[in-house]
Amino acid sequence: YLKQQMDSIVAQTYPNIEIIIVDDCSTDNTIEILKDFQSSYPNIQIFPNEKNIGYIKNFEKGCSLASGELIALCDQDDYWHPDKIKNMQAAIGDFPLIYCDSVLCDEALQPIGVNISDRVNCRDFDNCLQQAIFCRIYGHATLIKKELIQKAIPFLPIIPHDWWLCYVATF
């Protein structure tokens, strides 16, 4: 789904996007697909790892490489609504991190009639322990201020990166 994912990212209506891609030693044609996109979009930067560092440290590296004040995470199977970044940027205000709902889709990107909020109890950031033990906020649906990332680094290797960021934001 990489091509569809990249199509959705480069189609964002928010005009100033830096796309940082850290490849954690893919064994398929990921790098070739990404280089094709990079040839058309100069705002794409690709950083292939020399050895697999795992998803937590891979996200940490990507966040560290980003130069913008706002950072949006993207997993390998995400597809973004064209106004995702524009709407979230308009909503973040003074918060260090915000999140939105997600529509679940099938392989053809057709909604299956279920949102993340139908499956989990989304709530405000009012309990840092809850964020560390069983976070209901997923990285792909967040917009994070760089200052929060800087406070959260190094990411703990024993807790998923998105849970850790939510914990630090709540704390």
Side-chain angles (χ1 to χ4, degrees), residues 5-156:
Q5 176 188 37
M6 291 301 298
D7 284 338
S8 76
I9 294 170
V10 299
Q12 288 298 295
T13 58
Y14 187 78
N16 187 21
I17 294 183
E18 168 189 47
I19 302 170
I20 303 290
I21 302 164
V22 182
D23 181 72
D24 203 20
C25 300
S26 296
T27 58
D28 56 11
N29 61 345
T30 293
I31 295 293
E32 291 78 22
I33 294 168
L34 294 173
K35 285 183 178 179
D36 284 344
F37 273 92
Q38 188 179 40
S39 67
S40 299
Y41 300 95
N43 58 326
I44 295 176
Q45 298 177 61
I46 306 167
F47 298 90
N49 290 337
E50 291 184 21
K51 65 176 189 162
N52 185 289
I53 60 175
Y55 76 96
I56 294 170
K57 289 299 176 182
N58 202 58
F59 272 103
E60 178 183 308
K61 181 177 178 180
C63 290
S64 297
L65 291 167
S67 64
E69 291 304 313
L70 298 173
I71 298 171
L73 305 178
C74 193
D75 294 316
Q76 75 282 355
D77 60 349
D78 294 342
Y79 185 86
W80 288 2
H81 183 280
D83 294 324
K84 175 186 177 174
I85 300 301
K86 181 181 84 171
N87 291 341
M88 292 187 82
Q89 184 275 334
I92 197 162
D94 292 332
F95 296 107
L97 181 152
I98 61 170
Y99 70 102
C100 61
D101 203 355
S102 299
V103 176
L104 300 180
C105 298
D106 64 17
E107 305 81 31
L109 291 176
Q110 296 303 308
I112 62 171
V114 178
N115 291 354
I116 291 287
S117 61
D118 297 329
R119 293 188 172 178
V120 299
N121 182 14
C122 298
R123 56 176 49 177
D124 289 337
F125 291 100
D126 58 2
N127 184 330
C128 61
L129 185 58
Q130 185 236 338
Q131 301 304 333
I133 294 173
F134 195 68
C135 185
R136 302 289 193 190
I137 300 164
Y138 301 98
H140 73 270
T142 59
L143 186 65
I144 309 158
K145 289 189 176 174
K146 179 82 171 190
E147 61 194 45
L148 174 63
I149 299 286
Q150 292 167 337
K151 290 177 183 175
I153 289 176
F155 292 2
L156 294 184

